[in-house]
Amino acid sequence: MANISEPSGRPRFSVEVHQNEYLPAGGRKVDAIVTVTSAGGATAGRRPPPADHPTDRPTDPRRPADSRTGETGLQQEADPGDAAPEGAGPGAAIVIMVDCSGSMDHPRAKMHNAREATAAAVGTLRDGVAFAVVAGTHLAREVYPGGGRLAVADRTTREQAKQALGGLTAGGGTAISSWLMLADRLLAPYNGPIRHGILLTDGRNEHESPENLRAALETCAGRFTCDARGVGTDWAMPEVTGIASALLGTADIVADPAALTADFTRMMASAMGKSVADVALRLWTPRGAEVVFVKQVAPAVGTLTGRPAATGPRASDYPTGSWGDESRDYHVCVEVPCASVGQEMLAARLSVVLPPPEGGPAVPVAQGLVRAVWTHDTAASAAVDAQVAHYTGQVELARAVQQGLAARKSGDTGGATARLGRAVQLASASGNGETAKLLAKVVDVVDAATGTVRLKAKVAEADEMTLETRSTKTVRVKK
């Protein structure tokens, strides 16, 4: 594990490598779990102030925060490039995109819940966070503050935004690319470190082509991150998860619209907890070695292999988005050239790199080394590292759930029983209690240890969608 250097005010990153470095004669495949942890960022130990807390400081609607005196000018529609008030935490800009298509009126409580959830999220914004709210239908419309700008959160702007939300009504179609492109235009002028979107939809993207959405995601990728939520059960999972994957955010289902407020509040707290953006994993391999894959395996499964940008000879950067105080695990698999027994080589070097404060090359702040050693000791080379084994099982668990549900939908009872039974077995063995609970709503578990199950005759659509959506969430290795 190594730390190199950290720019002032950013979290301290560390890297820890878990692997069995021993290979048998002729062995070429090297697996390692790499744990990346960040701590001590600008938000460490700080709680956001109570929503709409009073202030007795002088106000000037166009005055930015003064970092020398700590005097804060309350701004209603301040320039998004202005500095955030001192003590407000890291600079952040957030755009909330709320589905207002006609389907949000069925049932009518859904639109009401969306308004309430968005108001609650706005109410938790720290002073100084730039924000906007967008209503999405077949078009995108600024709800607050309007004028193509971001507002800066304070007591006044939070209340104004809540009042504006009261006018949201359902009607029209769904063209999500227009929502994302408007969010991109609103966030583009903001020069702080964190640009983030929150997107809620209840239906399918039926009023534009899939190519339009793909083009919008390609445009927005790397410009802001985005969490996506599907409310109810009529939305398309590939669309919601695809948005989150492309924009390095999270995806989830909110089956009961009444739960939106709690979910939105958690998402907003998480977004404001980020303190550094555009973090990348730089993977260097020696001549003759090839990267087989790079996957995130905790807190959820997601592949990074298709996203690298070459940064030099035999080195590529894999984007990971924004970070706060947190830890993530990655599975790195490298194929190395054959070597003689007794030889040792560096199979890969993985570094955490941050963008510099004032342009220039990315800054390495921590690194870990993946090694390969060839041996005749079969006991040493046959051993599988506990971390590698655990996360290989978690990836298989997610795949078994998805394959089992697909077989169930197609009427393949035997295939569904086998794959979901394997999922139950893996969830039980790894201690993934949350996935086990979700599986128990789809199958009757006869014996978890052997994966013996029976398909339930009737399964609520919400339970099936929840299991599929959350199948990629993992648990860490038991200590």
Side-chain angles (χ1 to χ4, degrees), residues 230-303:
V231 60
T233 58
D234 293 330
W235 49 279
M237 193 171 303
E239 291 171 358
V240 171
T241 57
I243 291 167
S245 177
L247 302 183
L248 301 175
T250 63
D252 205 352
I253 180 175
V254 186
D256 182 359
L260 278 172
T261 295
D263 188 76
F264 265 45
T265 302
R266 284 192 298 269
M267 277 195 292
M268 189 64 77
S270 176
M272 289 189 296
K274 306 298 183 184
S275 52
V276 59
D278 302 323
V279 179
L281 299 181
R282 177 169 296 168
L283 185 63
W284 173 92
T285 53
R287 189 180 305 277
E290 294 184 2
V291 177
V292 179
F293 61 76
V294 182
K295 296 177 182 177
Q296 179 179 295
V297 290
V301 175
T303 182

Side-chain angles (χ1 to χ4, degrees), residues 211-226:
E211 290 73 22
N212 283 356
L213 180 56
R214 277 198 297 271
L217 291 172
E218 289 174 2
T219 298
C220 297
R223 294 170 62 84
F224 66 93
T225 55
C226 185

Side-chain angles (χ1 to χ4, degrees), residues 54 77 88 99 103 136 142 158 198 222 255 308 362 397 417 445 450:
E77 292 185 18
D99 191 337
S103 58
E142 297 172 53
R158 283 190 293 265
I198 291 175
L397 168 59
T417 302
V445 179
T450 62

Side-chain angles (χ1 to χ4, degrees), residues 427-442:
S428 174
S430 65
N432 195 329
E434 289 304 311
T435 299
K437 289 178 184 176
L438 295 173
L439 281 162
K441 295 183 178 181
V442 177

Side-chain angles (χ1 to χ4, degrees), residues 146-415:
R149 312 184 69 181
L150 299 174
V152 175
D154 60 43
R155 185 180 183 184
T156 301
T157 56
R158 283 190 293 265
E159 188 57 38
Q160 289 175 343
K162 291 177 185 178
Q163 292 175 2
L165 288 168
L168 288 182
T169 57
T174 305
I176 295 176
S177 69
S178 66
W179 314 358
L180 294 168
M181 295 307 295
L182 177 54
D184 183 55
R185 290 194 297 273
L186 292 169
L187 291 167
Y190 181 74
N191 62 13
I194 305 299
R195 299 177 180 86
H196 191 74
I198 291 175
L199 185 148
L200 171 73
T201 183
D202 81 320
R204 300 172 186 272
N205 198 43
E206 295 176 329
H207 293 83
E208 64 176 351
S209 69
E211 290 73 22
N212 283 356
L213 180 56
R214 277 198 297 271
L217 291 172
E218 289 174 2
T219 298
C220 297
R223 294 170 62 84
F224 66 93
T225 55
C226 185
D227 294 323
R229 294 294 184 266
V231 60
T233 58
D234 293 330
W235 49 279
M237 193 171 303
E239 291 171 358
V240 171
T241 57
I243 291 167
S245 177
L247 302 183
L248 301 175
T250 63
D252 205 352
I253 180 175
V254 186
D256 182 359
L260 278 172
T261 295
D263 188 76
F264 265 45
T265 302
R266 284 192 298 269
M267 277 195 292
M268 189 64 77
S270 176
M272 289 189 296
K274 306 298 183 184
S275 52
V276 59
D278 302 323
V279 179
L281 299 181
R282 177 169 296 168
L283 185 63
W284 173 92
T285 53
R287 189 180 305 277
E290 294 184 2
V291 177
V292 179
F293 61 76
V294 182
K295 296 177 182 177
Q296 179 179 295
V297 290
V301 175
T303 182
L304 304 181
T305 308
R307 298 174 174 168
T311 57
R314 301 185 301 280
S316 295
D317 282 2
Y318 296 81
T320 66
S322 303
W323 285 64
D325 288 356
E326 59 187 291
S327 182
R328 306 180 195 175
D329 292 339
Y330 299 89
H331 186 172
V332 177
C333 182
V334 178
E335 193 169 79
V336 296
C338 285
S340 302
V341 170
Q343 284 193 292
E344 177 179 346
M345 72 175 293
L346 179 61
R349 180 174 61 242
L350 190 140
S351 305
V352 178
V353 293
L354 308 184
E358 300 296 334
V363 181
V365 294
Q367 72 174 21
L369 305 179
V370 179
R371 302 182 185 279
V373 180
W374 283 265
T375 180
H376 279 313
D377 185 343
T378 55
S381 62
V384 179
D385 179 82
Q387 297 265 358
V388 173
H390 173 82
Y391 284 120
T392 300
Q394 292 291 284
V395 172
E396 185 188 351
L397 168 59
R399 187 166 56 246
V401 168
Q402 293 159 7
Q403 291 174 344
L405 291 176
R408 186 180 179 279
K409 291 175 185 176
S410 68
D412 179 4
T413 302

